[in-house]
Amino acid sequence: MNEPLSPAQAPAGPPGAGTLHGRTVVLIGGGSGIGLRVAHQVIAAGARVVLGGRTRERLAAAAQELGDRATWRTVDTTDRSSLAAFFAELDSIDHLFTSAASYRVGPLRELSDEDAESPFVSKFWGQYHAVKYAAPKLTQDGSVVLMSGAAGARPPAAAPAYAACNAAIEGLGRGLAVELAPVRVNVVSPGTIDGNLWAHRPDEDREAAFAQYRRDTLLRRLGTEDEIAQTVLFLFTNGFTTGATLYPDGGYTLR
Ligand SMILES: NC(=O)c1ccc[n+]([C@@H]2O[C@H](COP(=O)([O-])OP(=O)(O)OC[C@H]3O[C@@H](n4cnc5c(N)ncnc54)[C@H](OP(=O)(O)O)[C@@H]3O)[C@@H](O)[C@H]2O)c1
């Protein structure tokens, strides 16, 4: 039987992976919701953040809330020239999280073709192209976390294109992990979160969706933006995790 390796002989993990102190974290979608909670948590851990999004006022307010280790630039992930300009302004990047997306969800029989395609246009291709422009600047011990959604693993009744888009993002994460190694690429796939995204949907839709989620989930509750942010920080800092999808969803995908 082989002798166990002494700590000095054991292969080292990536040198900077375990800490966020002094690292540069780019958060496209960081002006609100889950991305903004990630910004708060990585700044508390000693990182610098660059926030991206389409709305200047939202980004400026978020950066002010975060303090002097936060900067921001506008970017639209559906516009490749905008992504190119955003990343051209940045030096090296340690971690990237892409919660930016806006799309419509609905049944096959009712959605227009344009609306049905919108999750792929914004959420899938938006993240794909963001990683493409970020890749040359990612440090070798850094990582990417893509945003998916538990609807990809357990589709709700009336959102087939949205479900397929989330499943595709999980496949994209595995494919990028293979191509970009040793840069790690992982996916976070949250359940329903009581946060900014749902706060801006009609009251009736929100209450119906929340009630159904409580019924359908092992833990009988919604998640919080901070719980999803914690999962993202785990994926940024765990140097041996790549190609993984984590489901912080209260057990929704098991029921
Ligand atoms: N909240 C949930 O229950 C939940 C559950 C599962 C998955 N998700 C996923 O989480 C993501 C949304 O995050 P969130 O819940 O934190 O919602 P959010 O607060 O609405 O965050 C989305 C952010 O992305 C920005 N954005 C939207 N489209 C953009 C674009 N084309 N280019 C650049 N920035 C863009 C928005 O700012 P601007 O409008 O100013 O650009 C906003 O700051 C979506 O991918 C969603 O599918 C959410």
Side-chain angles (χ1 to χ4, degrees):
M1 200 170 80
N2 290 337
E3 289 296 313
L5 294 176
S6 72
Q9 294 169 309
T19 179
L20 289 165
H21 192 83
R23 311 306 297 266
T24 299
V25 179
V26 176
L27 303 170
I28 307 187
S32 66
I34 297 164
L36 181 55
R37 295 319 304 170
V38 173
H40 277 281
Q41 291 190 20
V42 298
I43 283 193
R48 294 179 292 275
V49 300
V50 181
L51 308 175
R54 296 168 302 180
T55 314
R56 305 177 68 83
E57 297 71 25
R58 192 197 302 280
L59 295 168
Q64 191 171 16
E65 180 182 316
L66 290 162
D68 58 9
R69 273 185 279 123
T71 56
W72 59 270
R73 294 171 204 286
T74 54
V75 63
D76 182 344
T77 58
T78 64
D79 174 347
R80 280 171 243 174
S81 61
S82 166
L83 276 169
F86 178 85
F87 284 106
E89 294 288 318
L90 301 177
D91 296 327
S92 76
I93 300 166
D94 295 303
H95 300 285
L96 171 68
F97 175 53
T98 46
S99 55
S102 46
Y103 48 79
R104 294 187 69 84
V105 170
L108 172 97
R109 293 186 183 88
E110 291 173 21
L111 278 192
S112 69
D113 289 347
E114 193 183 348
D115 285 348
E117 289 167 13
S118 65
F120 276 92
V121 170
S122 182
K123 190 167 173 174
F124 180 88
W125 289 111
Q127 294 192 89
Y128 177 99
H129 290 299
V131 176
K132 178 175 171 177
Y133 287 102
K137 306 212 163 176
L138 283 165
T139 54
Q140 296 290 285
D141 58 0
S143 79
V144 174
V145 178
L146 302 177
M147 175 63 97
S148 175
R154 184 182 173 191
Y162 178 64
C165 172
N166 286 305
I169 290 162
E170 295 171 20
L172 176 64
R174 290 188 285 275
L176 288 172
V178 172
E179 179 175 343
L180 299 184
V183 172
R184 294 174 299 105
V185 183
N186 292 294
V187 181
V188 64
S189 191
T192 300
I193 305 307
D194 189 0
N196 184 63
L197 182 141
W198 280 99
H200 291 92
R201 291 187 178 166
D203 291 354
E204 210 174 303
D205 295 359
R206 182 177 58 251
E207 290 319 315
F210 281 12
Q212 186 180 345
Y213 199 79
R214 288 188 189 100
R215 271 197 310 274
D216 287 354
T217 301
L218 294 179
L219 300 187
R220 303 276 176 223
R221 69 169 177 90
L222 303 154
T224 68
E225 292 172 340
D226 267 316
E227 287 171 323
I228 309 312
Q230 274 180 333
T231 310
V232 174
L233 266 75
F234 169 80
L235 293 171
F236 283 162
T237 54
N238 187 290
F240 200 47
T241 301
T242 193
T245 297
L246 295 185
Y247 294 94
D249 68 355
Y252 172 77
T253 44
L254 286 178
R255 294 262 317 192

